[in-house]
Amino acid sequence: MELREPTVAYGKNKLTPEEYLEWESTALQKHEYYRGELFAMAGASVRHNVIAKNLMIGIGMRLQGKQCQPYGSDLRIHIPENTLFTYPDISIICRDVIEEETSDDYTIEPTVIIEILSPSTKGYDRGEKFRLYRDIPTLEAYILIDSESIAIEAFRINASGHWELEDYKSLNEVLAIPVVDLAIPLHDIYEGTKLL
């Protein structure tokens, strides 16, 4: 996702969350919402899509029959604490999203968020977006997957409630996501990207 200048909707510079959800329901392009402003999201590269596919298949197979389930970039996440509505590349949610008391338009309680980095989003995903994601009370892991090189940054909440970073840089390594009892080899994540 590439952030651009705020989009004007309804002839207004600032929208309420309700106006945003109404606008987004008919928009031809996805938008993030933050503090009344809309930000158009650009399409993703082929390599980004290959990594997303590999992750969805790998995570989906490993979580099959379990309570926690992966969702793709069409599932909108809302963070009431800071107003952000966004579309993570992959989120893992450990509750029934259909039965949630929020809305059919979004969910609010992911356990894991995975973003696939591109040159235009690296800074935002590592900085401001991570700061906003940390307002999610249920979030226990935030994982950044580089789409241009073999590199993964896995941030996890430790026993003291602080975020710790673990880097993965070799195809021989296995990305561990202990909070959902899952491990996936980097080779499987990057298969088909021509980075192998």
Side-chain angles (χ1 to χ4, degrees):
M1 177 208 73
E2 176 182 343
L3 286 182
R4 303 176 182 165
E5 290 299 312
T7 302
V8 176
Y10 296 126
K12 297 167 63 174
N13 288 328
K14 299 276 188 178
L15 299 180
T16 66
E18 295 76 22
E19 288 171 330
Y20 158 71
L21 290 170
E22 184 180 335
W23 167 266
E24 192 73 350
S25 69
T26 60
L28 299 177
Q29 180 180 15
K30 290 192 272 189
H31 298 83
E32 276 197 348
Y33 172 93
Y34 181 59
R35 293 188 174 170
E37 295 182 321
L38 296 175
F39 299 89
M41 298 175 68
S45 70
V46 172
R47 190 174 286 151
H48 180 288
N49 279 287
V50 169
I51 292 169
K53 170 197 62 95
N54 291 345
L55 284 165
M56 284 298 291
I57 291 170
I59 293 170
M61 286 178 17
R62 287 164 176 84
L63 293 180
Q64 191 167 3
K66 298 183 179 177
Q67 180 183 6
C68 299
Q69 291 298 305
Y71 297 88
S73 62
D74 284 332
L75 183 65
R76 182 176 25 232
I77 302 290
H78 177 48
I79 308 171
E81 290 79 2
N82 60 41
T83 78
L84 182 68
F85 283 90
T86 188
Y87 298 87
D89 289 316
I90 295 173
S91 50
I92 300 175
I93 298 172
C94 296
R95 62 180 298 177
D96 187 347
V97 294
I98 301 296
E99 297 298 321
E100 248 182 41
E101 295 177 6
T102 54
S103 166
D104 283 341
D105 296 325
Y106 59 87
T107 188
I108 60 171
E109 295 186 335
T111 302
V112 177
I113 289 179
I114 301 172
E115 294 286 11
I116 301 166
L117 303 177
S118 66
S120 62
T121 65
K122 281 183 184 184
Y124 176 58
D125 287 339
R126 285 188 178 118
E128 179 67 7
K129 196 166 197 181
F130 186 25
R131 184 187 68 76
L132 294 170
Y133 280 157
R134 290 196 303 264
D135 285 338
I136 301 171
T138 57
L139 189 66
E140 295 188 44
Y142 180 52
I143 299 165
L144 300 171
I145 314 274
D146 198 319
S147 65
E148 297 190 303
S149 64
I150 308 298
I152 296 176
E153 299 164 83
F155 295 90
R156 301 181 192 95
I157 290 277
N158 65 20
S160 302
H162 297 99
W163 288 93
E164 291 182 343
L165 169 64
E166 184 172 3
D167 285 315
Y168 298 84
K169 296 187 178 189
S170 165
L171 287 173
N172 298 323
E173 293 182 280
V174 176
L175 171 65
I177 311 176
V179 67
V180 291
D181 193 25
L182 183 149
I184 182 168
L186 268 66
H187 187 277
D188 292 0
I189 294 170
Y190 284 101
E191 185 177 11
T193 63
K194 299 196 175 175
L195 292 172
L196 306 178

